[in-house]
């Protein structure tokens, strides 16, 4: 199944100039490529037709990430936790050379009965210079107690989330997605079903840009030279990556599991412009020579 998905994505990259798809000057192919991770290959009823892709998660992802769920699933508890964190945030003394963004579900272990991230908490234990963790999750309650200190930034991101939703619903400040109609026509000609609903894509892009505006302020406050992240293919992380690139900060995706050869955000990119993609991190930190070789096959 995953092999077929990757083959279809590579077919698109090989035969369509995906690097020309831009929104407000940002090359958006990583977002469109990401939507393919929410698909599975199926056979059409007519066996003479090419296998197509149907969404199994994309629409539900959009439906669940909404304002009512935001209020129901995490905002109020997050505000209570944030009050204490914010006092420390204001008292923190920059510069902070090393900073990490951590989604709180990554604290999936318990050590001494406290929630622990085996990647970010372990990483920061070895950093001798000042370092901070900015923790977030808009749709789930914060995990307490935390093994290492971190500052909950979810409520800070909520206003950005609401702003992006309003912009999307009212079509405020929307620009054209360059070459998008040709992309849709290309998919239709090859019988490839993918997420091409423009409002869905704009919602994703608006959230990224809104989160970027927050991180520009946060990074200017902490003045990091490196920002570590894991699983950088979500709107919050991509907003952080954009802010890093605008401020000249290194953004590093730290490997968070066995990647294999089929994960669409880490493997087999067939069309990378010389200037790179703004939504991808500056560096990938991997844990083995085998994984490094897999990256080097497409990332020269």
């Amino acid at each position: 199944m995953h092999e077929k998905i990757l083959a279809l994505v590579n077919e698109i990259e090989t035969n369509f100039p995906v690097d020309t798809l831009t929104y407000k000057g940002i090359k958006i192919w990583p977002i469109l490529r990401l939507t393919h991770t929410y698909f599975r290959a199926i056979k059409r009823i007519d066996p003479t037709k090419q296998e197509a892709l149907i969404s199994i998660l994309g629409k539900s992802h959009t439906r669940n990430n909404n304002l009512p769920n935001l209020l129901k699933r995490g905002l109020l508890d997050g505000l209570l936790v944030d009050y204490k964190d914010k006092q420390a945030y204001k008292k923190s003394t920059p510069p902070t050379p090393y900073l990490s963004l951590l989604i709180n579900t990554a604290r999936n272990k318990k050590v001494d009965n406290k929630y622990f991230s085996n990647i970010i908490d372990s990483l920061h234990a070895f950093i001798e210079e000042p370092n901070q963790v900015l923790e977030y999750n808009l749709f789930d309650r914060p995990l307490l107690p935390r093994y290492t200190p971190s500052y909950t930034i979810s409520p800070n991101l909520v206003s950005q989330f609401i702003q992006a939703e309003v912009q999307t619903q009212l079509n405020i400040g929307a620009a054209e997605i360059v070459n998008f109609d040709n992309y849709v026509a290309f998919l239709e000609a090859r019988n490839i079903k993918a997420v091409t609903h423009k409002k869905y894509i704009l919602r994703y892009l608006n959230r990224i840009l809104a989160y970027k505006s927050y991180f520009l302020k946060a990074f200017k406050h902490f003045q990091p030279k490196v920002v570590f992240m894991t699983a950088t293919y979500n709107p919050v992380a991509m907003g952080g990556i954009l802010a890093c690139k605008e401020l000249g900060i290194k953004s590093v995706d730290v490997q968070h599991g066995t990647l294999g050869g089929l994960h669409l955000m880490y493997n087999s990119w067939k069309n990378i412009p010389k200037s790179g993609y703004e939504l991808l991190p500056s560096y990938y930190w991997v844990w083995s020579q085998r994984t490094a070789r897999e990256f080097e096959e497409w990332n020269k």
Side-chain angles (χ1 to χ4, degrees):
M1 179 178 76
H2 294 290
E3 290 92 340
K4 294 176 182 177
I5 296 173
L6 186 58
L8 279 173
V9 169
N10 286 161
E11 176 188 338
I12 296 170
E13 291 177 317
T14 302
N15 296 286
F16 187 85
V18 293
D19 57 321
T20 64
L21 293 158
T22 62
Y23 181 73
K24 296 185 176 180
I26 298 170
K27 294 181 283 292
I28 68 166
W29 175 241
I31 296 300
L32 299 176
R33 198 183 217 256
L34 175 62
T35 65
H36 289 287
T37 65
Y38 301 143
F39 296 113
R40 58 174 176 162
I42 63 163
K43 289 184 178 179
R44 309 299 298 277
I45 294 176
D46 183 347
T48 64
K49 291 186 177 180
Q50 179 182 351
E51 289 190 347
L53 296 172
I54 63 168
S55 172
I56 59 172
L57 182 59
K59 290 182 180 178
S60 64
H61 174 76
T62 303
R63 184 172 63 249
N64 291 334
N65 284 5
N66 54 37
L67 291 177
N69 267 353
L70 183 66
L71 293 171
K72 179 181 177 181
R73 296 174 59 188
L75 176 59
L76 296 180
D77 285 0
L79 287 171
L80 293 174
V81 175
D82 180 62
Y83 175 77
K84 182 177 180 181
D85 286 348
K86 222 165 191 179
Q87 309 313 307
Y89 178 91
K90 290 177 180 177
K91 294 175 183 176
S92 63
T93 305
T96 307
Y98 297 98
L99 195 68
S100 290
L101 301 185
L102 174 67
I103 188 167
N104 66 20
T105 51
R107 291 186 182 273
N108 54 8
K109 309 288 183 187
K110 272 197 169 183
V111 176
D112 297 333
N113 209 34
K114 296 178 180 179
Y115 289 98
F116 181 86
S117 166
N118 59 343
I119 297 174
I120 296 300
D121 284 339
S122 298
L123 176 66
H124 277 257
F126 287 93
I127 297 176
E128 296 180 350
E129 295 185 65
N131 60 88
Q132 301 287 356
V133 178
L134 303 184
E135 190 161 329
Y136 67 92
N137 194 329
L138 275 67
F139 292 94
D140 285 293
R141 292 175 172 83
L143 297 172
L144 295 172
R146 301 193 288 269
Y147 187 84
T148 54
S150 65
Y151 301 124
T152 301
I153 62 171
S154 298
N156 303 81
L157 299 177
V158 165
S159 61
Q160 311 305 124
F161 176 91
I162 295 172
Q163 172 188 316
E165 284 298 284
V166 171
Q167 285 180 326
T168 302
Q169 294 298 329
L170 300 181
N171 202 33
I172 297 172
E176 283 299 312
I177 300 177
V178 177
N179 215 21
F180 189 72
D181 291 342
N182 289 332
Y183 171 69
V184 174
F186 172 89
L187 297 179
E188 291 175 349
R190 283 166 170 74
N191 194 31
I192 299 174
K193 289 189 175 181
V195 172
T196 55
H197 192 283
K198 196 171 290 187
K199 190 172 184 178
Y200 170 83
I201 296 167
L202 287 176
R203 171 182 278 119
Y204 211 99
L205 290 166
N206 285 337
R207 289 179 185 177
I208 291 171
L209 293 172
Y211 296 144
K212 171 197 167 185
S213 66
Y214 164 73
F215 284 120
L216 284 173
K217 298 175 184 176
F219 294 164
K220 286 177 182 178
H221 172 81
F222 284 110
Q223 303 174 48
K225 57 185 179 181
V226 181
V227 175
F228 297 105
M229 314 175 195
T230 62
T232 51
Y233 43 91
N234 68 73
V236 174
M238 285 184 165
I241 289 169
L242 281 179
C244 282
K245 292 191 175 179
E246 186 167 317
L247 298 173
I249 300 167
K250 294 181 178 69
S251 55
V252 182
D253 180 310
V254 184
Q255 183 178 346
H256 62 286
T258 303
L259 298 179
L262 299 173
H263 194 303
L264 265 71
M265 296 307 288
Y266 294 110
N267 289 280
S268 190
W269 292 72
K270 298 297 185 184
N271 187 341
I272 298 182
K274 289 184 178 180
S275 59
Y277 284 111
E278 298 91 342
L279 296 172
L280 297 184
S282 304
Y283 296 90
Y284 292 94
W285 182 336
V286 299
W287 297 111
S288 70
Q289 289 298 324
R290 180 188 61 78
T291 306
R293 286 193 295 270
E294 290 177 356
F295 272 80
E296 288 166 355
E297 287 180 4
W298 58 265
N299 186 1
K300 300 296 183 183

